[in-house]
Amino acid sequence: MRDGWRLALGTLTALPTPPPSAVTRDTARAAVLLAPLAVLPLGAGVVALGWLGERLGLAPLTLGFLALGWLALTTRILHWDGLSDTADGLTASYDRERALQVMKSGTSGPAGVVATVVVAGLQVAGFSGLLASERGAVVAGLAVCLSRLALSLACVRGVPPARRDGLGNPMTGVVRVWHVVALWLLCGGLAAVVTWWVGLPATAVVAGLAAALVVVTALLVHCVRRLGGVTGDVFGAGIELALAAILLGITAAL
């Protein structure tokens, strides 16, 4: 469990973390299941930002951009790089090997830039709608944690790795379907209770998770069809798309 916790923190955040002693399938499974909890400090930062911004009289749009910047800083922009590379690979060629080569190159092409701008804009819009109040700030912080549930979908058994190297290989297929269902129900239920406790409709969290489930599943199906599986870049893309979907789903339901 300790190695799983270290892997989750070291992969999903920029927090100083000792490396795991070994990355086994059990370690990877624990990291995937602990992912929503591992980013709790990042979500807490978003909550604090909302509360502080309200007291300073900052505009919601400004807070939305600051929240985006905070998350980019505290994740080393790793997930954004994955989103950009995934978009470039999926649009570069219908040839699987060529697409994977483009994703591995690390450079951002037109598709990657546009995808990053669009998804970042959607996240800013979602954060802006929630950070206008203290209650909304709490839900915005929850959305950050819930977005990491996307990792469990990408790592469920039956979703193959697209190649035999990189982060995607040791992480894929490490969780069972019942793990995913239990994790989503547990995190969604806790988030719904907290949302209700702060005085907002609990159904908003359900709407956000439903939107994320549809978006991330569509991404994974497309990647398996086009690339033959998933990579570490796809993990990052799924997380950022999930966050945008959850934020917009919640704001639309409020």
Side-chain angles (χ1 to χ4, degrees):
M1 179 65 73
R2 182 175 62 180
D3 278 344
W5 180 249
R6 289 177 173 179
L7 182 61
L9 281 176
T11 304
L12 298 174
T13 77
L15 300 175
T17 308
S21 58
V23 181
T24 64
R25 290 185 66 81
D26 288 339
T27 301
R29 181 183 306 110
V32 171
L33 298 178
L34 289 170
L37 184 61
V39 297
L40 188 59
L42 279 59
V46 170
V47 177
L49 183 64
W51 289 357
L52 180 62
E54 185 176 20
R55 283 160 175 75
L56 295 177
L58 297 179
L61 184 60
T62 301
L63 293 175
F65 275 106
L66 288 175
L68 182 74
W70 160 255
L71 293 177
L73 179 66
T74 52
T75 58
R76 298 185 297 273
I77 319 182
L78 182 63
H79 309 320
W80 288 110
D81 180 69
L83 174 65
S84 177
D85 288 344
T86 300
D88 282 333
L90 291 174
T91 58
S93 172
Y94 285 106
D95 179 73
R96 173 182 175 273
E97 294 302 326
R98 171 58 180 162
L100 289 173
Q101 182 180 5
V102 169
M103 292 173 67
K104 197 174 182 179
S105 68
T107 58
S108 293
V113 172
V114 171
T116 301
V117 170
V118 170
V119 176
L122 292 175
Q123 289 187 10
V124 168
F127 277 129
S128 298
L130 292 173
L131 294 177
S133 69
E134 291 187 353
R135 295 184 302 174
V138 173
V139 179
L142 289 174
V144 174
C145 298
L146 292 175
S147 67
R148 273 52 181 180
L149 290 171
L151 194 59
S152 65
L153 291 177
C155 297
V156 71
R157 290 188 180 182
V159 179
R163 52 175 178 249
R164 295 301 173 184
D165 60 346
L167 178 63
N169 186 35
M171 298 290 288
T172 51
V174 296
V175 294
R176 298 177 182 272
V177 172
W178 76 264
H179 289 149
V180 178
V181 174
L183 184 64
W184 278 67
L185 289 176
L186 175 62
C187 293
L190 290 174
V193 170
V194 174
T195 302
W196 170 80
W197 179 70
V198 299
L200 294 175
T203 52
V205 169
V206 177
L209 284 176
L213 180 62
V214 171
V215 170
V216 176
T217 299
L219 171 70
L220 296 175
V221 169
H222 189 51
C223 287
V224 170
R225 181 174 62 86
R226 286 287 312 281
L227 306 174
V230 295
T231 68
D233 286 329
V234 177
F235 295 167
I239 287 173
E240 295 300 344
L241 287 170
L243 179 56
I246 291 171
L247 289 170
L248 293 180
I250 289 174
T251 54
L254 290 178

